[in-house]
Structure formats: structure tokens, C-alpha cells
Amino acid sequence: MKSFVVAKSAGFCFGVKRAVDMALSLAGSRVCTLGPLLHNKQVVAKLEALGIKAVNSVEDIPGGHAVIIRSHGVDLETHRALIERGLEIHDATCPCVKRIHEIVSAESERGGLVLLFGDRGHPEVTATASYAENATVFSSADELEELLKTNPELADKRLIMVSQTTASRNEWDKCVKISKKLCTNAEILDTICNATNFRLKEALELSSRCDLLVVVGDRGSANTRGLAMASPKAALIESAGELDCAGLAGYERVAVTAGASTPPETIEEVVLKMTEEINATNTPVEEAGSGESFAELLEQSIKTLNTGDKVKGVVTAITPTEIHVELGTKHAAYIPLDELTDDPEIKAEELVKIGEEIETFVVRVNDVEGTVKLSKKKLDTVKSWEDVENALDTNVILEGIVKEENKGGVVVSVKGVRVFVPSSQTGLPKDAPMSAIMNTKVKLRITEFNRARRRVVGSIRSVQQETRRANAENIWSTIEVGRKYGGIVKSLTSYGAFVDIGGVDGMVHVSELSWNRVRQPSDILKPGDKLDVYVLSFDPEKKKISLGHRRPEDNPWNRFTASFKVGDTVSVKVVKLMPFGAFAEVMPGVDGLIHISQLSDHRIGKPADAVSEGDTVTVKITDIDMERQKISLSIRALIEEIEPESIPEGPDEIVAIAEEGKTLIATDIEETE
Ligand code: F3S
């Protein structure tokens, strides 16, 4: 033999260790165990030597003695008998087994039928079944299939399927498939213990790398026998005395593992003997494992975990309430579902997969029960704090959701870390309500980080400014007359609106806002409004951009010329009186002029003698000046058409005078009659 390697999982599982520790702590007092504490003659003998004997039944417990319940647990009836006898009970039932008792009892109370996968007659299975009103035990996938097929009424009943902690995973997986296929209402709870699985997996893995697998343990232990049967390279020994040193010479590499009931001293004796053998043959010793001595490996496997430790493990099962994680130590580690994620919509299976490595945070270690509560959420938070702290050093931009607003600003949740953003750094205009960004995703930079005070400050504005600078550069390098932008109104003046086109502000003159008459921009706009604009002109040196909003295709002059011609009679509204005539609106945005001489069929002193502002009158279009965009209107022309001989003399030519885009009006015919 050139080298050997010892499995990290060799020896006591935490449930057995807990039971042995409990018994040893009671040495010296009057106590016995109900049945042998574990399947290992050496340990049972050691306990006997300390005065802790095993009895076979409740009646056999001597008076005045306390009793230890072993890790398999006891059935309900026995438990009641112990209580009835008024005995002091030290319950070493493994917490994993207890959890199954609780599940079975609760589900049974709710009317569920329990299907229990395991070895009939095994004390653990007998005990678990006793906690259900109605439990059916099956020991293979074939048996389950037969059961469901011959009792089809079960298919729609509420079924709860659990297993013995040390059941075969392969067989269990087959059972799961069958129940999913044949049942509509089965709840499947994976209650196989991680420790057993992990031990078996590791043994097989080591065996694939070595020439011989030495399994150390009592032949009466099912767990030990299971290991020995799993590999054709396995040889079972109960102690170092059975080790065939001469035989070892025929192997290059040897692996050592041990059952859950094998005490550490037995394994250590085997290891010592193998080490001596290697030394005696002067073969260079290849250190076990990754260069660690057995003592170190043993130490590692029983190492104490502490709250706050970051640990890596392998996901071994996902149940409706928790994730089981194998840490490679003698603990049953689990992540309650609410420690996995905050999002109730996300299923555990979407976040973790069986067999994948997961890094978690130790929340609580229960050395008495041998359990470790883990949290992924807390580790994520720890990591988030690191990320946020790094972001300060590296000036990296982070993303978060605005969760709260308060007097001084808002609180942004960045990967679960609360980052305060003062109102001046929110990027909102002064006096704008903080609620405008509530529950929105924002980008920000960290500007202050104080872990001790748990104070983190950030700035949204800093990111916005940088983005704006980059956008401005982009705009100036691509701007051209006619280019369109979706803008946001930043501020208003009496002569126009300043509009942000995504990093640069441009100005829309009031006359460019609408084809209709607009007295001042605030009549139709307010800061924050979205406004589609296009570039009229720009000056990169002076950094000035002149924008337009009204669209050429909406030009009312074009609409007017498309609809009206000289000679048409139209109804118009008098909008303004001037000394030389009256302006009237032909259509929105298009006015015409009714010269004073055209307001009536007789001479009048002033336009007000014929019409008033607001009057609607019928006029004839007498001229359209396409070049100057002026329209001449006449009331008189209409009257003359009706009574030509009664029209008094007037000027030969009517001159339309109008402002740009406006036209002349005529007075109400009725009034002139
Ligand atoms: Fe051991 Fe408990 Fe598992 S006794 S094998 S840790 S169920």
C-alpha cells in the first residue's frame, strides 16, 4: 500500500454523536437506554462499563432510573408508557426523525393518508408510523405501484409520502415518479437524511479512485453494511484488529470510511495501524485527503460552526419548507424557505438545484440537536454590503429601487442595502415631490459608506449628470436641421419654452409652439411636459439650439388654400376691429381682413358702425394673396350681388391689409341692412 485516504464523513453522524454525548454526560447517574443506544458493540460495552445499561422494554427499566431514548426514537405507545411510569426521560431522538414525526402527525390530523417508505420492522419506521392515524408502509417502488393500482380510490385522496431517514435515494426517486404518475393529490416530502446520502456518495467516489475501500463498523449496523455492499471493492472490518496488513501490500491506494455508529477512536486505531504499515514498508506516505492528517480530517468533520460563518455546501434536498444542505460536517444543515428569498413568487427549485454547490451564512448552530440553520438571504446581504462598499472605491454605478421617502430625501434599496439619497441628489427639480420616483428603478453612485453606523449615502444626480454630459456630446455630434427629438419642458418664459432634448436644452419660441394664437407659453405648457420638437437652427459655438414644435403639415394656411378659393361665401367671426377695417377668423389660425369700405354697402365712419368683435358674419372671399398669405373679405360684395343698383359708390379697389397669416373680415349683413 502506497497511500490511503479517509472519508470526511466517516463515523458518527450528528444524530448518533448527540445520543452518545447525551449518554456520556449522564454517566455516574442512574440511567439506562431503551434498547442498545447504537449498533456498535464497543460503544455499548463502554457505556455498560460506565453503568449505562440497555434494557429491552419499559417494564425492564429498573425503578429510580432515568431512561435515554435512542436516536431512532420510540413509538407513541412506548412514549406514553414511559410518561405513565413517571420516568425521567432523556430524549436523544434525532431531530431529523422528530421532524418526520411532527409532519406525519400534523398531516394525519388534517385528514391526510400517510405513505411511509422504509424497512418494515425498523424501529424508526415503526415509531414514525405510530404518529399517524393511518400509515401504510411500503419498502420498494414496485410495492408502491402495486398498492396504488390495487387501491385506485387512493389516487384522488390527500396522500403524504415520507421516507425513513436512511432509505435508499435511488429507490425513493422511483417512488416519487410513480406517485406523481398515479396520484393527483400527493404531497411528497423528501425526508431522507443528508448524512447517510453524503456518506454513501463519498464512499463511492473514493472507491472509484482507490483499489480498496475499507469500511469500518459493526456488522450489526445496517448503515455500515449498506456502505460495504455499495462497492465491489469494499472490505468490512469491525476494528483495527481485523485489518490484514499483509493483504494491504497488494493495493496501491486504499480508502477508509465508517458507518454512522462507528466511534472516532475505532477509526483512529485503523488509521494508526495503516500508517505504521506504510512506515514499516518504508514507502513514502501520501497524506490522506488533501494533505491533511486523519486527526485534522476528524477535527474538520466535527468542527464547530459559528453563527456568522460563511459556509459552502451541497444542496441535497428541496422540501416544501426548507432546503437541506450537506456541509461536510456532522450537522444537519437547512435553509428555511423564508431565508432563501424575499420573493414569495419564486419557487425554491428556481433558485437552487439538488447537487449544486451553494454558499450560505450560518444563522444559528444548535449543538444539542446537531442542526445548523442557514440563510442565503443573509449571505446575499453580507455580499451586498461588500459590493456597495467596493462601489464607493471603484465609483461603479449601482441600481436600486426607491423604497421610502422621508423629510430629507429617499431611501433606495440596493441589493437589500438601504442607501439614503438626500433630496438635492435625487435628480428631481426643486420642489418636485419625491413621490415622483417612488418604487422606480434608479441608478446611483455611492458617496459615503460607514459600515459601523450602517450609513450609506448615494447620489442619483451624479449619474444623471454624467449621462447628460455623454448625451450632450452625442447630440452635438449628430445634430442637424430638421432632426426630431422627444423633449421635456424644463422652464418657461414669456417668449418661449426651454426644452431638454436628452442632455441639451433648446428654445422653442412662442410663435413656434402652435399654429393657433398663443399669448404666452404657460397657457399651453408646464415644466415636465413632454414635447416633440425639431431643430430649426443651431449654433455649436454658442451652444444654442432653436427648436420648433408646430408641424408644417398642420399649417392652417395650407389647409385654407386647399379648402377655399376666391368667390367662396363663408361664415367668419369678427376677432378685432381696426380703424381701417375688421379682422375675422375664417378658420382656426387663419384670419382675413374686411376693409372698412367692404363692411357695408354704404359709407360708414368707423368699423364699429357696422360690426362688433365676436359677431359672426357672412362674407365673400374677394382675394387670396398666396405670396403674402393675406385674404380679403367683403360683406359689400354679397349685398351687391343681391341688390346691385342699391350699392352706393365706394373705392374701386379693396386693399387687404393683414398681419402675416391673417385675413380681412366682413360685417354682419343683417346689421348693415
Ligand atoms: Fe444520523 Fe439522524 Fe441521519 S441519526 S443518519 S443524522 S437521521
Side-chain angles (χ1 to χ4, degrees), residues 405-517:
E405 68 170 288
N406 55 38
K407 251 188 182 176
V410 293
V411 175
V412 180
S413 171
V414 179
K415 300 178 178 184
V417 177
R418 289 164 60 86
V419 180
F420 173 66
V421 177
S423 43
S424 62
Q425 297 301 313
T426 56
L428 288 170
K430 215 174 158 212
D431 299 331
M434 299 288 155
S435 56
I437 53 170
M438 274 301 290
N439 296 317
T440 60
K441 198 180 260 186
V442 293
K443 290 186 173 166
L444 74 170
R445 271 214 173 78
I446 303 302
T447 52
E448 188 185 329
F449 185 94
N450 187 325
R451 192 185 283 264
R453 292 177 56 206
R454 297 187 79 75
R455 178 179 159 83
V456 188
V457 181
S459 169
I460 299 170
R461 189 165 160 249
S462 135
V463 179
Q464 285 180 345
Q465 280 178 334
E466 188 180 297
T467 311
R468 203 173 150 75
R469 271 195 295 277
N471 289 347
E473 272 173 33
N474 182 39
I475 283 175
W476 282 113
S477 63
T478 56
I479 196 165
E480 58 188 20
V481 171
R483 198 181 191 105
K484 291 178 180 161
Y485 296 95
I488 303 277
V489 176
K490 289 283 287 290
S491 60
L492 300 171
T493 67
S494 58
Y495 54 86
F498 285 94
V499 177
D500 177 1
I501 56 171
V504 182
D505 288 353
M507 219 277 281
V508 188
H509 189 267
V510 63
S511 62
E512 286 297 334
L513 284 174
S514 170
W515 289 107
N516 295 329
R517 214 177 286 111

Side-chain angles (χ1 to χ4, degrees), residues 617-629:
V617 295
T618 306
V619 297
K620 186 170 187 169
I621 299 172
T622 53
D623 187 43
I624 299 172
D625 182 340
M626 296 298 280
E627 206 176 305
R628 292 190 293 160
Q629 295 194 354

Side-chain angles (χ1 to χ4, degrees), residues 20-31 46-47 49-52 68:
V20 173
D21 286 349
M22 191 181 283
L24 292 176
S25 72
L26 293 168
S29 57
R30 296 204 293 175
V31 64
K46 182 178 168 182
L47 290 175
L50 291 168
I52 304 170
I68 300 171

Side-chain angles (χ1 to χ4, degrees), residues 310-449:
K310 275 191 231 169
V311 287
K312 277 188 184 164
V314 175
V315 175
T316 55
I318 301 172
T319 77
T321 54
E322 59 201 25
I323 314 296
H324 294 181
V325 181
E326 179 54 60
L327 297 177
T329 65
K330 308 228 170 188
H331 295 90
Y334 65 99
I335 309 171
L337 279 198
D338 59 358
E339 287 295 338
L340 191 65
T341 171
D342 270 335
D343 193 338
E345 301 288 309
I346 299 182
K347 288 190 177 152
E349 289 85 349
E350 292 170 28
L351 292 176
V352 290
K353 300 267 173 293
I354 291 178
E356 91 176 5
E357 192 177 62
I358 184 172
E359 193 171 14
T360 60
F361 181 90
V362 176
V363 177
R364 194 176 59 238
V365 181
N366 187 331
D367 279 325
V368 178
E369 293 199 340
T371 56
V372 179
K373 182 178 171 183
L374 304 169
S375 171
K376 173 136 183 358
K377 257 173 33 184
K378 288 205 171 57
L379 181 74
D380 291 344
T381 306
V382 170
K383 284 196 158 174
S384 298
W385 273 84
E386 286 169 7
D387 289 350
V388 171
E389 186 171 21
N390 287 341
L392 176 69
D393 301 335
T394 54
N395 211 22
V396 157
I397 294 172
L398 298 174
E399 239 179 35
I401 307 272
V402 181
K403 288 285 187 190
E404 283 172 36
E405 68 170 288
N406 55 38
K407 251 188 182 176
V410 293
V411 175
V412 180
S413 171
V414 179
K415 300 178 178 184
V417 177
R418 289 164 60 86
V419 180
F420 173 66
V421 177
S423 43
S424 62
Q425 297 301 313
T426 56
L428 288 170
K430 215 174 158 212
D431 299 331
M434 299 288 155
S435 56
I437 53 170
M438 274 301 290
N439 296 317
T440 60
K441 198 180 260 186
V442 293
K443 290 186 173 166
L444 74 170
R445 271 214 173 78
I446 303 302
T447 52
E448 188 185 329
F449 185 94

